Amino acid sequence: MTTHKNLLGGPDPTYLPENEEAYRLLGEESLAPAEVAAKYPTFSLAWALLADDAFEAGRVIESYAYARTGYHRGLDALRRSGWKGHGPIPWSHRPNRGFLRCLNALARAAESIGEKDEAERCGQFLQDSDPEAYAELRR
């Protein structure tokens, strides 16, 4: 495997570990996101799906709570993976997508309940983490 030195001097990208079993349960087994979140509470994608479902159903406070849970579980996982509070979190890496989706869901729900500062912080965090994620999720 070839590794490339970061020539810009910033931190290296952070890559969360895979959870193949959680993906399998969501996909092949068609388990509901709540069941997957209960079995794998650190799997941010399940929380993101719950947040999206609640938001689409008009349950904004519930969406906010799900998004915040997935966001914090994702922050814990990022720190365990060597993240120091800043630096790239690539959207192209599938395990990072759950955290990034929770971050977007938190921004969306915060905006909906009038938490302007939090919505702006989360939106900026998403853009700083990966502009591709921002473009994909904020459309």
Side-chain angles (χ1 to χ4, degrees):
M1 180 165 119
T2 303
T3 58
H4 300 281
K5 183 174 175 19
N6 183 343
L7 299 177
L8 298 177
D12 290 331
T14 303
Y15 300 99
L16 292 173
E18 287 279 354
N19 185 333
E20 292 297 334
E21 177 64 10
Y23 284 111
R24 188 186 71 72
L25 292 175
L26 280 174
E28 293 172 25
E29 299 293 324
S30 298
L31 254 62
E35 293 175 271
V36 177
K39 187 168 178 70
Y40 295 103
T42 62
F43 187 61
S44 289
L45 180 59
W47 296 105
L49 293 169
L50 288 166
D52 289 347
D53 289 347
F55 191 84
E56 288 171 15
R59 300 185 319 270
V60 177
I61 297 300
E62 190 177 322
S63 177
Y64 182 90
Y66 287 136
R68 182 161 286 289
T69 300
Y71 165 79
H72 281 289
R73 298 311 295 256
L75 284 178
D76 293 342
L78 285 166
R79 289 182 186 113
R80 283 192 303 275
S81 295
W83 187 72
K84 303 286 191 233
H86 65 285
I89 305 168
W91 173 254
S92 60
H93 183 64
R94 181 175 76 158
N96 290 355
R97 289 184 177 193
F99 169 75
L100 295 168
R101 285 182 61 177
C102 282
L103 183 54
N104 181 63
L106 186 56
R108 178 185 61 206
E111 185 176 344
S112 292
I113 63 172
E115 287 286 333
K116 184 177 182 229
D117 289 344
E118 182 174 30
E120 289 174 2
R121 271 193 313 275
C122 290
Q124 188 63 55
F125 185 6
L126 180 62
Q127 188 163 12
D128 292 345
S129 296
D130 189 335
E132 181 184 353
Y134 185 86
E136 178 72 23
L137 297 169
R138 299 299 282 187
R139 20 175 163 159

